[in-house]
Amino acid sequence: VIIPCYNDGQYITETVERVLQQTFTPLEIIIVNDGSTDQNTLDTLAQLEKHALITVLHKENGRMSAARNYGVIHAKGTYIAALDADDYFDNHFFEKAIPIFQAQPNIAVVTSYIQFFGNHKGASKPRGGNAYNFLFSNQCPACALVRKEVWDQVGGYDESMKLGYEDWEFYIRITQLGLSVHVIPELLLHYRQTDKSTLKNQTHPNRKFLIDYILNKHKDWYIQC
């Protein structure tokens, strides 16, 4: 489980506790301190690191893509669970997701429907699927399980994408390999809505720029499709 953390001290303990409550116990929990400046966050991470399953890595702030990639470099598991510091999976998510990988080798990513909580309530039902499903919109949240061999094969997240949609671009590269994304049709991902949200404050205001970047990066593929 890879958890980037930037000044998320008020949420990170709950997130980790939820991971430890999983009915399928993870091999390791790697928290990547992405240059936090908040002392409460630093103190909280120091306490969490005392747990046998938890490793805290420290790096300069490089945003989500760089933090996730940095964590994966140090990961030992066959599957990578990308999880944000203020979100959590239902206790049975890993137990339900792992057999899907084992039964279907063509599936590279497993996620679920999304339950919003916090400042905004509601739900989202991403479709997942193949490359064509990802042509026009992202159909999988960043919080998901990914085969580590596939993560390594595509080179992880694009670290130049600091304003958002890095997960969408990541899944484009995965599905271009002919692999697919599976969505469990249950509300198993709990996605916290806060005023700090990157999606709200940076991604949506820069949507045109980010889409232009994706289109230009994958121009040949878009033309082909």
Side-chain angles (χ1 to χ4, degrees):
V1 181
I2 308 297
I3 309 174
C5 180
Y6 175 71
N7 293 343
D8 290 305
Q10 67 187 113
Y11 305 122
I12 187 67
T13 298
E14 178 186 1
T15 297
V16 169
E17 287 175 349
R18 296 279 189 173
V19 174
L20 293 173
Q21 291 168 10
Q22 287 287 323
T23 52
F24 186 103
T25 306
L27 174 67
E28 58 185 349
I29 300 169
I30 299 176
I31 303 172
V32 181
N33 172 32
D34 192 33
S36 294
T37 57
D38 171 55
Q39 190 59 47
N40 174 59
T41 298
L42 298 175
D43 292 343
T44 300
L45 293 179
Q47 289 299 314
L48 290 172
E49 194 170 20
K50 295 177 182 179
H51 193 286
L53 287 183
I54 299 173
T55 300
V56 178
L57 305 176
H58 300 273
K59 63 181 290 297
E60 294 182 358
N61 182 261
R63 304 301 297 267
M64 294 291 280
S65 294
R68 290 191 188 110
N69 289 344
Y70 191 73
V72 171
I73 289 171
H74 294 83
K76 303 181 184 71
T78 303
Y79 308 106
I80 299 297
L83 182 61
D84 292 344
D86 55 353
D87 303 328
Y88 65 91
F89 291 116
D90 177 87
N91 293 355
H92 298 279
F93 174 68
F94 293 169
E95 180 185 352
K96 293 180 178 182
I98 297 298
I100 294 171
F101 285 122
Q102 295 171 340
Q104 303 181 63
N106 194 55
I107 289 176
V109 183
V110 177
T111 188
S112 73
Y113 288 168
I114 306 166
Q115 179 71 62
F116 299 117
F117 71 104
N119 291 355
H120 170 68
K121 308 294 192 298
S124 177
K125 298 180 178 181
R127 292 181 299 159
N130 60 23
Y132 292 98
N133 289 25
F134 287 83
L135 273 169
F136 300 105
S137 62
N138 189 10
Q139 293 299 326
C140 181
C143 297
L145 267 173
V146 184
R147 293 185 190 271
K148 187 176 187 297
E149 62 181 0
V150 174
W151 189 301
D152 293 340
Q153 184 177 355
V154 301
Y157 278 79
D158 182 338
E159 297 186 12
S160 71
M161 298 187 72
K162 300 179 185 295
L163 300 175
Y165 286 164
E166 74 283 347
D167 49 348
W168 180 10
E169 194 277 330
F170 177 63
Y171 297 133
I172 285 174
R173 282 183 281 126
I174 287 177
T175 55
Q176 281 176 336
L177 297 175
L179 302 172
S180 65
V181 175
H182 182 88
V183 178
I184 300 173
E186 300 177 48
L187 296 169
L188 302 178
L189 171 58
H190 298 264
Y191 189 169
R192 190 188 305 267
Q193 304 294 291
T194 70
D195 292 334
K196 183 186 173 185
S197 167
T198 298
L199 186 66
K200 171 185 174 182
N201 296 313
Q202 296 182 309
T203 307
H204 286 165
N206 292 285
R207 177 176 168 82
K208 183 182 185 302
F209 166 79
L210 292 167
I211 289 179
D212 283 348
Y213 177 86
I214 290 173
L215 289 173
N216 286 323
K217 181 172 181 177
H218 299 286
K219 183 177 180 180
D220 291 344
W221 179 68
Y222 271 92
I223 291 173
Q224 175 188 331
C225 292

